[in-house]
Amino acid sequence: MRIVPIPCLRDNYAYLVICEATRRTAVVDPSESGPVLAALQREGVGLDAIWNTHHHLDHTGGNKELLDAYPELEVIGHVLDQGRIPGQTTFAGDGDEISLGDEVRARIIHNPGHTRGAISYYMPDLAAGRPEGQSEAGTIPSAAAVRPAIRSAIFTGDTLFAGGCGRLFEGTPGQMHASLSRLAELPEHTEVFCGHEYAAVNLRFAAEVEPGSKAVAERRKKVDQVRQNGQPTVPSTIAEERATNPFLRSQVPAVAASAQANESPANNSPVEIFAALRRWRDRF
Ligand code: ZN
Ligand code: FE
């Protein structure tokens, strides 16, 4: 299994998910068709499925033209997005399993908050078939194989971002806080592939929320360097997000104190602190 990030529009990411055994390929959140078609050609694969994380146009804008090129596509989205995702053929719910070729199994996690039909695609146990560090039999490890194999990965759309989270367009702070809390409980090594390149501004905000955090300062430095080199900051890991993403940290006393000083939340509950952080970020 291989994941190929595709920069789209101004700051969106689509992703190819390629089952290397069968060459079957899905695209996550095709904002537009052009860069996706170019990536398919570069990789020498066709397209079998679209995995949409939610209905917003910057995540589904390429659906129609990709369907024109590949009329047999499976188009997956949440059942609540029925009528809002162009060409949708599969109406998924929380806990549903989907598959692609031999290697790829993904579980749907329903994350209401950004929109009511927002979902993540979680792929656990990716290395199950192949012990870590071992390349395919008889082949010499390539440069690409030097990077340790991904053990588990998740596509989070506009729910969990690197260092931040999506705006609350159709959900309550309580819903979004619960959605993010579920993602925070995934195994710490899980690689997070989100929908937008917002890491730099998100980490600038995180540094304002937790000025004393060494972890935030170090991640911010790393992110700024990566962006200066024109590279994508994805993926991050659940461990990094738990350590530095203020929206996963409303139970941390320093974060709560900071939210109180800036947004006067109604009380000190994690949901109220989360809501205050989100309001603060909206005007940041
Ligand atoms: Zn969105
Ligand atoms: Fe978006």
Side-chain angles (χ1 to χ4, degrees):
M1 201 270 330
R2 213 148 52 81
I3 295 171
V4 181
I6 309 168
C8 290
L9 303 176
R10 200 161 60 106
D11 52 31
N12 277 80
Y13 289 118
Y15 300 96
L16 295 186
V17 183
I18 304 172
C19 169
E20 291 180 284
T22 63
R23 312 298 286 161
R24 290 181 73 82
T25 299
V27 62
V28 179
D29 283 352
S31 318
E32 48 181 343
S33 62
V36 174
L37 291 167
L40 292 169
Q41 192 156 43
R42 269 199 312 276
E43 299 295 329
V45 293
L47 189 63
D48 300 284
I50 295 174
W51 295 358
N52 289 126
T53 61
H54 63 297
H55 73 291
H56 282 160
L57 189 62
D58 62 317
H59 300 256
T60 59
N63 279 26
K64 204 190 156 298
E65 283 173 25
L66 292 173
L67 273 161
D68 289 343
Y70 299 95
E72 304 292 296
L73 286 182
E74 178 180 23
V75 181
I76 303 177
H78 192 265
V79 62
L80 288 174
D81 277 340
Q82 187 151 18
R84 309 206 291 183
I85 290 181
Q88 188 174 3
T89 61
T90 298
F91 303 89
D94 188 66
D96 286 359
E97 300 263 350
I98 59 172
S99 66
L100 179 78
D102 291 343
E103 297 170 357
V104 183
R105 303 282 176 273
R107 191 185 313 150
I108 305 294
I109 301 178
H110 185 207
N111 306 135
H114 178 65
T115 66
R116 54 180 180 272
I119 54 179
S120 294
Y121 294 82
Y122 173 50
M123 304 186 290
D125 308 325
L126 285 170
R130 193 186 300 174
E132 213 169 334
Q134 184 182 314
S135 61
E136 277 164 75
T139 62
I140 296 161
S142 66
V146 171
R147 188 170 174 268
I150 299 177
R151 284 194 287 158
S152 61
I154 186 165
F155 298 105
T156 56
D158 290 358
T159 298
L160 175 62
F161 288 134
C165 75
R167 285 173 188 264
L168 307 185
F169 285 115
E170 297 180 355
T172 63
Q175 282 178 317
M176 189 61 149
H177 181 260
S179 293
L180 291 169
S181 299
R182 274 184 80 186
L183 299 181
E185 281 160 22
L186 294 173
E188 293 214 311
H189 60 257
T190 303
E191 300 199 0
V192 179
F193 295 84
C194 62
H196 288 268
E197 182 54 70
Y198 292 159
V201 61
N202 282 343
L203 268 296
R204 192 155 58 79
F205 178 71
E208 202 126 316
V209 176
E210 289 190 89
S213 164
K214 221 177 124 196
V216 168
E218 275 169 13
R219 186 176 181 195
R220 189 178 171 200
K221 217 163 84 186
K222 190 178 83 176
V223 157
D224 286 346
Q225 202 141 45
V226 168
R227 292 308 294 153
Q228 267 163 30
N229 296 335
Q231 298 296 310
T233 59
V234 289
S236 61
T237 63
I238 291 292
E240 279 180 288
E241 299 308 330
R242 289 176 58 141
T244 59
N245 186 328
F247 296 99
L248 304 186
R249 296 172 59 76
S250 49
Q251 76 292 355
V252 173
V255 173
S258 205
Q260 260 153 353
N262 281 275
E263 283 290 338
S264 40
N267 58 56
N268 218 359
S269 73
V271 171
E272 280 302 318
I273 298 298
F274 170 80
L277 288 170
R278 190 56 258 182
R279 287 198 301 275
W280 181 6
R281 177 67 177 84
D282 285 346
R283 57 175 181 73
F284 179 70

